[in-house]
Amino acid sequence: MLRPFMVLIALFLAFSPWAGTAKGRCQDAKGTSATTVAAVDLIVVRVLGESITEKQVLDTINQLAFQLANNQQATGQQLQQKESLFYREALDTLIGTILLKNEAKERNLVADKAKIDESLRSMKARFPNEAQFQQALQGQGIKEEDLRSSIETNLLCQQVLELIAQDLPPPTDIEIQKYYDANPKSFLEPEQRHTAAISLKVDEGATPEQKMEIRKKLENIRADIGSKKITFAEAAVKESDDKANSTRGGDLGFVKRGAMLKPLEDMVFATKPGSLTPILETEIGYHLIQVIELKPAGIVPLETAQPKIKDLLERKAKQEATKKHLEQLKTKVKIETVMSDEEWNKRHPSK
């Protein structure tokens, strides 16, 4: 359930503009995986009197691999070679954390105790009860006070990152247009169908006779819609068991491939707009779908894409500002290399 425990800290506490980027994540440099470092653990570098150990780098590499795998941003081969491919990113993340933590101290920043408590509560909520949470901590060799310290470090780093980003100007309309024009493939939209549905549920254990009766009811509803005795929307409000959508006349909005059960999807995308599908059976019951209109594949208009582009450019600017700030901080301190890149690669060769 824990893999490793500090991954949860990254998931809960990563400052959102930097989420998913090594330079923006804050890790606890004294205990990246919140595990006790063995006495024989080798030191990789020293920064501001703090040692970054081989185990901490490996734990951070695992965190990077975990997040990249979850976001489908790394291939299986890359993950197999993670200890060499992600080594520099992991080490830079740990060094950056020490620098940011030191800057937070120089700025007299203090982590909000209420936020620490809330983050800890959020982590505990992932477990059925307190006993299992404590058991998980023990399994990782973690004390709860160590976890609180790690959360505090993350929050302090976040405060520094926010200060770095607070005066950045927003992207201009020209910059947004330029990005839109240069990346047309990023704004491709697949064909969509505007649909509405009437669903009649079949209870588990229903007899063939009961199932046939429910199907016959939906066939009669379809016939009444076809003869214009009732509109599809009226029938959905009155008869559909899908209460989440029945109040809207069964309207499901525009759907893409992959958003519906496969048998429904196949029929929907084979049905002409303005038509009704045949009665469809799935494991949950019987369905009648109205295909209202078709939206062909194409490029999303700039007006629609603009919020997404604005957010992306803002995140990119914050990442660049953070990288520049950290590079400046590095020039002001001594970073003592204890384990060379060559030695690391010998100890952790590519597979």
Side-chain angles (χ1 to χ4, degrees), residues 198 217-236 274-279 288-290:
I198 298 172
K217 178 181 178 180
L218 192 52
E219 288 174 347
N220 290 336
I221 292 172
R222 189 183 192 283
D224 287 344
I225 294 171
S227 64
K228 302 187 185 303
K229 288 184 180 179
I230 190 171
T231 68
F232 191 96
E234 291 170 342
S275 304
L276 299 177
T277 66
I279 305 301
L288 173 64
I289 299 177
Q290 181 185 41

Side-chain angles (χ1 to χ4, degrees), residues 115-166:
K115 289 184 178 180
I116 297 174
D117 292 340
E118 177 56 33
S119 296
L120 192 58
R121 280 196 296 271
S122 296
M123 292 181 184
K124 289 185 177 183
R126 291 285 185 97
F127 297 85
N129 52 56
E130 176 71 19
Q132 290 196 28
F133 174 75
Q134 293 298 332
Q135 183 180 0
L137 287 178
Q138 292 174 11
Q140 294 286 314
I142 308 168
K143 295 180 181 179
E144 189 167 320
E145 54 264 33
D146 295 330
L147 184 57
R148 287 186 64 90
S149 176
S150 295
I151 294 171
E152 181 180 10
T153 295
N154 276 270
L155 293 175
L156 288 171
C157 288
Q158 289 173 28
Q159 290 185 59
V160 176
L161 294 175
E162 289 164 359
L163 290 171
I164 295 169
Q166 66 182 359

Side-chain angles (χ1 to χ4, degrees), residues 25 35 43 46 69 77 80 134 140-141 161 247 252 280 312 326 332 342:
R25 275 193 302 274
T35 57
I43 295 172
R46 292 190 183 95
Q77 185 177 1
Q80 286 181 347
Q134 293 298 332
Q140 294 286 314
L161 294 175
T247 56
L252 303 178
L280 302 170
L312 186 150
L326 287 172
K332 300 176 183 179
E342 291 75 16

Side-chain angles (χ1 to χ4, degrees), residues 23 35 50 52 151 167 179 220 255 281 288 292 339:
K23 294 294 174 63
T35 57
E50 293 195 35
I52 296 175
I151 294 171
D167 295 325
Y179 185 90
N220 290 336
V255 296
E281 182 180 2
L288 173 64
I292 301 169
M339 182 185 297

Side-chain angles (χ1 to χ4, degrees), residues 28-44 51-59 94 140-142 146:
D28 185 345
K30 285 187 176 180
T32 304
S33 66
T35 57
T36 303
V37 176
V40 296
D41 195 16
L42 298 179
I43 295 172
V44 180
S51 296
I52 296 175
T53 70
E54 182 179 32
K55 188 176 191 312
Q56 290 168 336
V57 177
L58 289 171
D59 285 342
L94 290 164
Q140 294 286 314
I142 308 168
D146 295 330

Side-chain angles (χ1 to χ4, degrees), residues 9-23:
I9 293 181
L11 293 175
F12 277 101
L13 301 178
F15 179 48
S16 58
W18 289 268
T21 63
K23 294 294 174 63

Side-chain angles (χ1 to χ4, degrees), residues 10 13-27 64 67 89 92-93 96-97 100 154 157-158 161 318-319 322-323 326:
L13 301 178
F15 179 48
S16 58
W18 289 268
T21 63
K23 294 294 174 63
R25 275 193 302 274
C26 290
Q27 310 296 343
L64 289 171
Q67 294 185 12
E89 278 190 287
D92 284 348
T93 297
T97 298
L100 291 174
N154 276 270
C157 288
Q158 289 173 28
L161 294 175
K318 289 170 181 175
Q319 291 167 9
T322 299
K323 179 180 178 180
L326 287 172

